[in-house]
Amino acid sequence: MALPREYTNQACSMVRALEIVGERWTLLIVRDAVFGVRRFSDFVEHLGIPRAVLTERLEFLIGEGVLARVPGSGKRSEYELTAKGRGLWPVVRALSAWGDEHYAPSGRRRVFVHAGCDGEVAQSGTCLRCGEDVALIETVMTPGPGLTPSQEDGQVSAILSQPRPLLRPIH
């Protein structure tokens, strides 16, 4: 039995945020959208998420203004982060850094670099080389020592294992 999405008798901003992004898969969808995944089929391939669950999550995130449905190639729709959705990047980044610290014995899977000077971007969003606050659009994702994609991971994983600017569509 699924748990309800709402936290009754709770009235704080964190509770409301969890009602939006606290369900299984949701932050991974947001993470992949930051990485440039925009097509339904690519989310399915990369996440291994059931199609019905992905459909429900995408519709919910569109309704909450986190994602927007935009025209893609041919008759396909694609999904793009809105400003509200891009605002979740510090949350996704912090959770990734926490996971790297405690659950990545081979090291970080991804390193984020400032496109302007090639300095590493700290979890705070500041470039460790030049000291600038680095905008999401100025961040490049590079493979870290813990990223070891296998040949069975698929096309999306192969694309995301290469250095690439965040938010740039993978297709």
CSV table of all heavy atoms in Angstrom, one decimal, residues 14-52:
chain,number,residue,atom,x,y,z
A,14,MET,N,9.8,22.6,4.9
A,14,MET,CA,10.5,21.3,4.6
A,14,MET,C,9.4,20.2,4.3
A,14,MET,O,9.6,19.4,3.4
A,14,MET,CB,11.4,20.8,5.7
A,14,MET,CG,12.1,19.6,5.4
A,14,MET,SD,13.3,19.2,6.7
A,14,MET,CE,14.0,17.7,6.1
A,15,VAL,N,8.4,20.2,5.1
A,15,VAL,CA,7.3,19.2,4.8
A,15,VAL,C,6.7,19.5,3.4
A,15,VAL,O,6.5,18.5,2.7
A,15,VAL,CB,6.2,19.3,5.9
A,15,VAL,CG1,4.9,18.6,5.5
A,15,VAL,CG2,6.7,18.8,7.2
A,16,ARG,N,6.4,20.7,3.1
A,16,ARG,CA,5.9,21.0,1.7
A,16,ARG,C,6.9,20.6,0.6
A,16,ARG,O,6.5,20.0,-0.4
A,16,ARG,CB,5.5,22.5,1.6
A,16,ARG,CG,4.9,22.8,0.3
A,16,ARG,CD,3.5,22.1,0.1
A,16,ARG,NE,3.0,22.5,-1.2
A,16,ARG,CZ,2.5,21.6,-2.1
A,16,ARG,NH1,2.4,20.4,-1.8
A,16,ARG,NH2,2.1,22.1,-3.2
A,17,ALA,N,8.1,20.8,0.8
A,17,ALA,CA,9.2,20.4,-0.2
A,17,ALA,C,9.2,18.9,-0.3
A,17,ALA,O,9.2,18.4,-1.4
A,17,ALA,CB,10.5,20.9,0.2
A,18,LEU,N,9.1,18.2,0.8
A,18,LEU,CA,9.1,16.7,0.8
A,18,LEU,C,7.8,16.2,0.1
A,18,LEU,O,7.9,15.1,-0.6
A,18,LEU,CB,9.2,16.1,2.2
A,18,LEU,CG,10.6,16.2,2.7
A,18,LEU,CD1,10.6,15.7,4.2
A,18,LEU,CD2,11.6,15.3,1.9
A,19,GLU,N,6.7,16.9,0.2
A,19,GLU,CA,5.5,16.5,-0.5
A,19,GLU,C,5.7,16.5,-2.1
A,19,GLU,O,5.1,15.8,-2.8
A,19,GLU,CB,4.3,17.3,-0.1
A,19,GLU,CG,3.9,17.1,1.3
A,19,GLU,CD,2.8,18.0,1.8
A,19,GLU,OE1,2.6,19.1,1.2
A,19,GLU,OE2,2.2,17.7,2.8
A,20,ILE,N,6.6,17.4,-2.5
A,20,ILE,CA,6.9,17.5,-3.9
A,20,ILE,C,8.0,16.6,-4.4
A,20,ILE,O,7.9,15.9,-5.4
A,20,ILE,CB,7.3,19.0,-4.3
A,20,ILE,CG1,6.3,20.0,-3.8
A,20,ILE,CG2,7.6,19.2,-5.8
A,20,ILE,CD1,4.9,19.8,-4.2
A,21,VAL,N,9.1,16.5,-3.6
A,21,VAL,CA,10.3,15.8,-4.1
A,21,VAL,C,10.6,14.5,-3.3
A,21,VAL,O,11.6,13.9,-3.6
A,21,VAL,CB,11.5,16.7,-4.3
A,21,VAL,CG1,11.3,17.8,-5.3
A,21,VAL,CG2,12.0,17.2,-2.9
A,22,GLY,N,9.8,14.2,-2.3
A,22,GLY,CA,10.2,13.2,-1.4
A,22,GLY,C,9.9,11.7,-1.8
A,22,GLY,O,10.2,10.8,-1.1
A,23,GLU,N,9.2,11.6,-2.9
A,23,GLU,CA,8.8,10.2,-3.3
A,23,GLU,C,10.0,9.6,-4.1
A,23,GLU,O,10.8,10.2,-4.7
A,23,GLU,CB,7.6,10.2,-4.3
A,23,GLU,CG,6.4,10.6,-3.6
A,23,GLU,CD,5.1,10.5,-4.4
A,23,GLU,OE1,5.2,10.7,-5.6
A,23,GLU,OE2,4.1,10.1,-3.9
A,24,ARG,N,10.0,8.2,-4.0
A,24,ARG,CA,11.1,7.5,-4.6
A,24,ARG,C,11.1,7.9,-6.1
A,24,ARG,O,10.1,8.1,-6.7
A,24,ARG,CB,10.7,6.0,-4.5
A,24,ARG,CG,11.7,5.0,-5.1
A,24,ARG,CD,11.3,3.6,-4.8
A,24,ARG,NE,12.0,2.7,-5.6
A,24,ARG,CZ,13.1,2.0,-5.3
A,24,ARG,NH1,13.5,2.2,-4.1
A,24,ARG,NH2,13.7,1.2,-6.1
A,25,TRP,N,12.2,8.0,-6.7
A,25,TRP,CA,12.5,8.3,-8.1
A,25,TRP,C,12.6,9.8,-8.4
A,25,TRP,O,13.2,10.2,-9.3
A,25,TRP,CB,11.5,7.6,-9.1
A,25,TRP,CG,11.5,6.1,-9.1
A,25,TRP,CD1,10.5,5.3,-8.6
A,25,TRP,CD2,12.6,5.3,-9.5
A,25,TRP,NE1,10.9,4.0,-8.7
A,25,TRP,CE2,12.1,4.0,-9.3
A,25,TRP,CE3,13.8,5.5,-10.1
A,25,TRP,CZ2,12.9,2.8,-9.6
A,25,TRP,CZ3,14.6,4.4,-10.4
A,25,TRP,CH2,14.1,3.1,-10.2
A,26,THR,N,11.8,10.6,-7.6
A,26,THR,CA,11.7,12.0,-8.0
A,26,THR,C,13.0,12.8,-8.1
A,26,THR,O,13.2,13.4,-9.1
A,26,THR,CB,10.7,12.7,-7.1
A,26,THR,OG1,9.4,12.0,-7.1
A,26,THR,CG2,10.4,14.1,-7.5
A,27,LEU,N,13.8,12.7,-7.1
A,27,LEU,CA,15.1,13.4,-7.1
A,27,LEU,C,16.0,12.8,-8.2
A,27,LEU,O,16.8,13.6,-8.7
A,27,LEU,CB,15.7,13.5,-5.8
A,27,LEU,CG,15.1,14.5,-4.8
A,27,LEU,CD1,15.8,14.4,-3.4
A,27,LEU,CD2,15.2,15.9,-5.3
A,28,LEU,N,15.9,11.5,-8.5
A,28,LEU,CA,16.7,11.0,-9.6
A,28,LEU,C,16.3,11.5,-10.9
A,28,LEU,O,17.1,11.7,-11.8
A,28,LEU,CB,16.6,9.5,-9.5
A,28,LEU,CG,17.2,8.8,-8.3
A,28,LEU,CD1,17.0,7.3,-8.3
A,28,LEU,CD2,18.7,9.2,-8.1
A,29,ILE,N,15.0,11.7,-11.1
A,29,ILE,CA,14.5,12.3,-12.3
A,29,ILE,C,15.0,13.7,-12.4
A,29,ILE,O,15.5,14.1,-13.5
A,29,ILE,CB,12.9,12.3,-12.4
A,29,ILE,CG1,12.4,10.9,-12.5
A,29,ILE,CG2,12.4,13.2,-13.5
A,29,ILE,CD1,10.9,10.7,-12.2
A,30,VAL,N,15.0,14.5,-11.4
A,30,VAL,CA,15.5,15.9,-11.4
A,30,VAL,C,17.0,15.8,-11.6
A,30,VAL,O,17.5,16.6,-12.5
A,30,VAL,CB,15.2,16.6,-10.0
A,30,VAL,CG1,16.0,17.9,-9.9
A,30,VAL,CG2,13.7,16.8,-9.9
A,31,ARG,N,17.7,14.9,-11.0
A,31,ARG,CA,19.2,14.8,-11.2
A,31,ARG,C,19.5,14.5,-12.7
A,31,ARG,O,20.3,15.2,-13.3
A,31,ARG,CB,19.8,13.6,-10.4
A,31,ARG,CG,21.3,13.4,-10.7
A,31,ARG,CD,21.7,12.0,-10.4
A,31,ARG,NE,21.0,11.0,-11.3
A,31,ARG,CZ,21.1,9.7,-11.1
A,31,ARG,NH1,21.7,9.2,-10.1
A,31,ARG,NH2,20.4,8.9,-11.9
A,32,ASP,N,18.7,13.6,-13.3
A,32,ASP,CA,19.0,13.2,-14.7
A,32,ASP,C,18.6,14.4,-15.6
A,32,ASP,O,19.3,14.7,-16.6
A,32,ASP,CB,18.2,12.0,-15.1
A,32,ASP,CG,19.0,10.7,-14.8
A,32,ASP,OD1,20.0,10.8,-14.0
A,32,ASP,OD2,18.5,9.6,-15.3
A,33,ALA,N,17.6,15.2,-15.3
A,33,ALA,CA,17.2,16.4,-16.0
A,33,ALA,C,18.4,17.4,-16.0
A,33,ALA,O,18.7,18.0,-17.0
A,33,ALA,CB,15.9,17.0,-15.6
A,34,VAL,N,19.0,17.6,-14.8
A,34,VAL,CA,20.1,18.5,-14.7
A,34,VAL,C,21.3,17.9,-15.6
A,34,VAL,O,22.0,18.7,-16.3
A,34,VAL,CB,20.6,18.6,-13.3
A,34,VAL,CG1,22.0,19.3,-13.2
A,34,VAL,CG2,19.6,19.3,-12.4
A,35,PHE,N,21.4,16.6,-15.7
A,35,PHE,CA,22.5,16.0,-16.5
A,35,PHE,C,22.2,16.1,-18.0
A,35,PHE,O,23.1,15.8,-18.8
A,35,PHE,CB,22.7,14.6,-16.1
A,35,PHE,CG,23.4,14.4,-14.7
A,35,PHE,CD1,23.5,13.1,-14.2
A,35,PHE,CD2,23.8,15.4,-13.9
A,35,PHE,CE1,24.1,12.9,-13.0
A,35,PHE,CE2,24.4,15.2,-12.7
A,35,PHE,CZ,24.5,13.9,-12.2
A,36,GLY,N,21.0,16.5,-18.4
A,36,GLY,CA,20.7,16.6,-19.8
A,36,GLY,C,19.7,15.6,-20.3
A,36,GLY,O,19.4,15.6,-21.5
A,37,VAL,N,19.2,14.7,-19.5
A,37,VAL,CA,18.2,13.7,-20.0
A,37,VAL,C,16.9,14.5,-20.1
A,37,VAL,O,16.4,15.2,-19.2
A,37,VAL,CB,18.1,12.6,-19.0
A,37,VAL,CG1,17.0,11.6,-19.4
A,37,VAL,CG2,19.4,11.8,-18.8
A,38,ARG,N,16.3,14.3,-21.3
A,38,ARG,CA,15.0,15.0,-21.5
A,38,ARG,C,13.9,14.2,-22.1
A,38,ARG,O,12.8,14.5,-22.1
A,38,ARG,CB,15.3,16.2,-22.5
A,38,ARG,CG,16.2,17.3,-21.8
A,38,ARG,CD,16.5,18.4,-22.8
A,38,ARG,NE,15.3,19.1,-23.2
A,38,ARG,CZ,15.3,20.3,-23.6
A,38,ARG,NH1,16.4,21.0,-23.6
A,38,ARG,NH2,14.2,20.9,-24.0
A,39,ARG,N,14.3,13.0,-22.7
A,39,ARG,CA,13.3,12.2,-23.4
A,39,ARG,C,12.8,11.1,-22.4
A,39,ARG,O,13.6,10.5,-21.6
A,39,ARG,CB,13.9,11.5,-24.6
A,39,ARG,CG,14.2,12.4,-25.7
A,39,ARG,CD,14.8,11.7,-26.8
A,39,ARG,NE,15.2,12.5,-27.9
A,39,ARG,CZ,15.9,12.2,-29.0
A,39,ARG,NH1,16.3,10.9,-29.1
A,39,ARG,NH2,16.1,13.0,-29.9
A,40,PHE,N,11.5,10.8,-22.5
A,40,PHE,CA,10.9,9.8,-21.7
A,40,PHE,C,11.7,8.5,-21.8
A,40,PHE,O,12.0,7.9,-20.7
A,40,PHE,CB,9.4,9.5,-22.1
A,40,PHE,CG,8.7,8.6,-21.3
A,40,PHE,CD1,7.9,9.1,-20.2
A,40,PHE,CD2,8.7,7.2,-21.5
A,40,PHE,CE1,7.1,8.2,-19.4
A,40,PHE,CE2,7.9,6.4,-20.7
A,40,PHE,CZ,7.2,6.9,-19.7
A,41,SER,N,12.0,8.0,-23.0
A,41,SER,CA,12.7,6.7,-23.1
A,41,SER,C,14.1,6.8,-22.5
A,41,SER,O,14.6,5.7,-22.0
A,41,SER,CB,12.8,6.4,-24.6
A,41,SER,OG,13.5,7.4,-25.3
A,42,ASP,N,14.7,7.9,-22.5
A,42,ASP,CA,16.1,8.0,-21.9
A,42,ASP,C,16.0,8.0,-20.4
A,42,ASP,O,16.8,7.4,-19.7
A,42,ASP,CB,16.8,9.3,-22.3
A,42,ASP,CG,17.2,9.3,-23.8
A,42,ASP,OD1,17.3,8.1,-24.4
A,42,ASP,OD2,17.3,10.3,-24.4
A,43,PHE,N,14.9,8.5,-19.8
A,43,PHE,CA,14.7,8.4,-18.3
A,43,PHE,C,14.5,6.9,-18.0
A,43,PHE,O,15.1,6.4,-17.0
A,43,PHE,CB,13.5,9.2,-17.8
A,43,PHE,CG,13.8,10.7,-17.7
A,43,PHE,CD1,13.1,11.6,-18.6
A,43,PHE,CD2,14.6,11.2,-16.7
A,43,PHE,CE1,13.3,12.9,-18.4
A,43,PHE,CE2,14.8,12.6,-16.6
A,43,PHE,CZ,14.1,13.4,-17.4
A,44,VAL,N,13.7,6.2,-18.8
A,44,VAL,CA,13.4,4.8,-18.5
A,44,VAL,C,14.7,4.0,-18.6
A,44,VAL,O,15.0,3.2,-17.7
A,44,VAL,CB,12.4,4.3,-19.5
A,44,VAL,CG1,12.3,2.7,-19.5
A,44,VAL,CG2,11.0,4.9,-19.3
A,45,GLU,N,15.5,4.2,-19.7
A,45,GLU,CA,16.7,3.5,-19.9
A,45,GLU,C,17.7,3.7,-18.7
A,45,GLU,O,18.3,2.8,-18.1
A,45,GLU,CB,17.4,3.9,-21.2
A,45,GLU,CG,18.7,3.2,-21.4
A,45,GLU,CD,19.5,3.7,-22.6
A,45,GLU,OE1,18.9,4.0,-23.6
A,45,GLU,OE2,20.8,3.9,-22.4
A,46,HIS,N,17.9,5.0,-18.4
A,46,HIS,CA,19.0,5.3,-17.4
A,46,HIS,C,18.6,5.0,-16.0
A,46,HIS,O,19.4,4.5,-15.2
A,46,HIS,CB,19.4,6.8,-17.5
A,46,HIS,CG,20.6,7.1,-16.8
A,46,HIS,ND1,20.6,8.0,-15.7
A,46,HIS,CD2,21.9,6.7,-16.9
A,46,HIS,CE1,21.8,8.1,-15.2
A,46,HIS,NE2,22.6,7.3,-15.9
A,47,LEU,N,17.3,5.2,-15.7
A,47,LEU,CA,16.9,5.0,-14.3
A,47,LEU,C,16.4,3.5,-14.0
A,47,LEU,O,16.4,3.1,-12.9
A,47,LEU,CB,15.8,6.0,-13.9
A,47,LEU,CG,16.3,7.4,-13.9
A,47,LEU,CD1,15.0,8.3,-13.6
A,47,LEU,CD2,17.3,7.6,-12.8
A,48,GLY,N,15.9,2.9,-15.1
A,48,GLY,CA,15.3,1.6,-14.9
A,48,GLY,C,14.0,1.7,-14.2
A,48,GLY,O,13.5,0.8,-13.5
A,49,ILE,N,13.3,2.8,-14.3
A,49,ILE,CA,12.1,3.1,-13.7
A,49,ILE,C,10.9,2.6,-14.5
A,49,ILE,O,10.9,2.6,-15.7
A,49,ILE,CB,11.9,4.7,-13.5
A,49,ILE,CG1,10.7,5.1,-12.7
A,49,ILE,CG2,12.0,5.4,-14.8
A,49,ILE,CD1,10.6,6.6,-12.4
A,50,PRO,N,9.9,2.0,-13.8
A,50,PRO,CA,8.7,1.5,-14.5
A,50,PRO,C,8.1,2.7,-15.3
A,50,PRO,O,7.9,3.8,-14.8
A,50,PRO,CB,7.8,1.0,-13.4
A,50,PRO,CG,8.7,0.7,-12.3
A,50,PRO,CD,9.8,1.7,-12.4
A,51,ARG,N,7.6,2.4,-16.5
A,51,ARG,CA,7.0,3.5,-17.3
A,51,ARG,C,5.8,4.2,-16.7
A,51,ARG,O,5.7,5.4,-16.8
A,51,ARG,CB,6.6,2.9,-18.7
A,51,ARG,CG,7.8,2.4,-19.5
A,51,ARG,CD,7.5,1.7,-20.7
A,51,ARG,NE,7.1,2.6,-21.8
A,51,ARG,CZ,8.0,3.2,-22.6
A,51,ARG,NH1,9.3,3.0,-22.4
A,51,ARG,NH2,7.6,4.1,-23.5
A,52,ALA,N,5.0,3.4,-16.0
A,52,ALA,CA,3.8,4.0,-15.4
A,52,ALA,C,4.2,4.9,-14.2
A,52,ALA,O,3.6,6.0,-14.0
A,52,ALA,CB,2.9,2.9,-14.8
